[in-house]
Amino acid sequence: MSYKIIQSFWTKPFFQNKAESAEHRLKGGWPSEKYNYLSWAFSCLQLKKFYNQVELYTDDYGKYLLIDQLQLPYDKVSTRLNDLDEYGTDLWAIGKVYTYSLQKEPFIHVDGDVFLWEKLPHHLDNAPLVSQNIENEPRLYGDMMKSIIESFDDIPEELLAVDVSQQSIYAINAGVIGGFDIAFFQDYTKKIFAFIEKNKESISGINSGLFNCVYEQLLFYMMATLRDIDIACVYPGIKTIPEVIKTFRLAGHATNYVHTFGINKKDKFSYPFLEDYMKQLYPEYLERIENQLLTYEL
């Protein structure tokens, strides 16, 4: 079964200097806004090498930046993420979750810090659910679930099924996420929005940045597991994020997939390499970024 590629860019977390969480998404985690724009450009342009249909879900300012200014070649652009004004920037994954909820046909969502040198593997093509890999993070998810149980009044039963005493607590990595089970995504995203709404007064009492990982990655894994739905992974059988994909150091050689999540964006093998790739492959876009984009604060 064929699927479309989608990306989402909710701009508030990228430009909000007043983000309270240590795990904020200011500048996308890059050393400067310039590299955030380079990341979006390189991710989109590499996807367009291999896929005919790449769509962007964003808000008005995201459209201004990526389409009007950068002129990135997305095939379709939606500004439905304007609907998220009521949400705080610490809930940075809400833009992705809302984008999943809008899908009516098979899709794979690719983060703006994921870069491909070939199409995603064929074993994803007919999968009901897709993710980058399965990861085992007992400390992160165990500590977060303890805080949530202590602080929240209403918790999805799938999360209550997590045994925080175990040495293994599995979740997905959502660098890529999708599949053809649209009914699953409808249920999954409804649970997330209800989870947040019912506990909105308590979110500030926990690590709100890491809370995003719980509702996006842990809940997804638990729902799929309890329903006995297979999750096809870009890296099957992996219980941690492969080191080889975290920077550009071995891109195009030992790996054709890079995901510069978190602190990896500030690694010396990430942002300078990103700029070098743009200079070699897409110099006109690099020039556009350096000459046209203005700093903006929400």
Side-chain angles (χ1 to χ4, degrees):
M1 181 179 293
S2 62
Y3 53 81
K4 64 179 179 179
I5 297 291
I6 63 174
Q7 296 194 289
S8 61
F9 182 32
W10 182 40
T11 59
K12 281 179 67 175
F14 288 82
F15 297 97
Q16 176 57 271
N17 287 313
K18 298 177 181 179
E20 297 177 359
S21 169
E23 290 76 22
H24 60 72
R25 288 299 181 268
L26 183 64
K27 302 173 187 173
W30 294 97
S32 71
E33 289 181 16
K34 170 185 173 179
Y35 293 101
N36 187 24
Y37 305 140
L38 290 175
S39 177
W40 278 101
F42 192 54
S43 182
C44 170
L45 293 165
Q46 288 295 101
L47 286 169
K48 284 298 295 178
K49 281 187 173 181
F50 308 110
Y51 294 96
N52 293 326
Q53 188 70 12
V54 182
E55 300 181 2
L56 174 67
Y57 289 76
T58 186
D59 46 36
D60 286 340
Y61 191 61
K63 179 180 179 295
Y64 167 75
L65 282 174
L66 300 189
I67 306 303
D68 300 340
Q69 289 281 73
L70 283 189
Q71 301 173 40
L72 294 179
Y74 287 103
D75 299 284
K76 183 178 178 181
V77 180
S78 168
T79 55
R80 288 290 302 274
L81 301 196
N82 287 328
D83 299 343
L84 300 176
D85 281 349
E86 67 180 277
Y87 292 94
T89 58
D90 285 354
L91 298 176
W92 40 261
I94 276 295
K96 294 175 62 179
V97 171
Y98 188 54
T99 298
Y100 311 154
S101 76
L102 298 174
Q103 303 312 307
K104 307 299 182 187
E105 58 187 292
F107 72 94
I108 290 183
H109 181 285
V110 179
D111 280 355
D113 56 3
V114 168
F115 315 96
L116 303 185
W117 275 259
E118 64 181 11
K119 292 190 75 169
L120 292 166
H122 289 301
H123 68 261
L124 306 183
D125 292 352
N126 297 305
L129 299 177
V130 167
S131 74
Q132 176 180 288
N133 63 274
I134 305 299
E135 54 187 40
N136 180 20
E137 295 285 353
R139 183 173 181 182
L140 185 161
Y141 290 113
D143 289 349
M144 282 303 302
M145 282 308 305
K146 290 174 185 176
S147 296
I148 287 169
I149 290 168
E150 290 174 359
S151 303
F152 287 14
D153 295 323
D154 197 304
I155 303 170
E157 59 183 8
E158 293 89 351
L159 290 180
L160 290 173
V162 175
D163 188 344
V164 297
S165 69
Q166 294 299 306
Q167 295 301 307
S168 296
I169 300 178
Y170 296 110
I172 65 159
N173 183 283
V176 300
I177 185 174
F180 68 75
D181 193 341
I182 299 301
F184 176 93
F185 276 95
Q186 290 298 311
D187 192 20
Y188 162 67
T189 55
K190 285 178 183 177
K191 281 182 183 289
I192 291 172
F193 280 102
F195 186 28
I196 291 170
E197 179 63 27
K198 291 174 182 178
N199 299 286
K200 60 185 177 182
E201 303 302 326
S202 302
I203 292 174
S204 62
I206 66 170
N207 186 320
S208 57
L210 291 181
F211 178 51
N212 293 274
C213 300
V214 172
Y215 67 70
E216 184 185 23
Q217 301 191 150
L218 181 60
L219 179 61
F220 184 98
Y221 179 85
M222 292 302 298
M223 285 182 63
T225 299
L226 293 172
R227 298 178 186 198
D228 199 27
I229 304 174
D230 289 336
I231 304 172
C233 296
V234 178
Y235 294 91
I238 300 292
K239 295 299 188 291
T240 187
I241 301 173
E243 287 294 325
V244 71
I245 75 171
K246 293 180 180 180
T247 72
F248 289 95
R249 185 170 63 90
L250 298 175
H253 304 287
T255 181
N256 288 310
Y257 178 103
V258 170
H259 182 192
T260 55
F261 65 94
I263 62 172
N264 298 293
K265 293 180 172 69
K266 295 181 173 67
D267 188 281
K268 65 180 181 179
F269 290 113
S270 287
Y271 66 94
F273 275 58
L274 171 61
E275 187 165 8
D276 285 344
Y277 275 115
M278 287 294 293
K279 187 178 298 183
Q280 294 171 27
L281 299 176
Y282 307 109
E284 70 277 21
Y285 287 93
L286 174 61
E287 182 179 2
R288 208 169 287 154
I289 288 168
E290 292 178 333
N291 293 339
Q292 294 186 8
L293 292 178
L294 303 176
T295 301
Y296 181 88
E297 287 187 10
L298 293 176

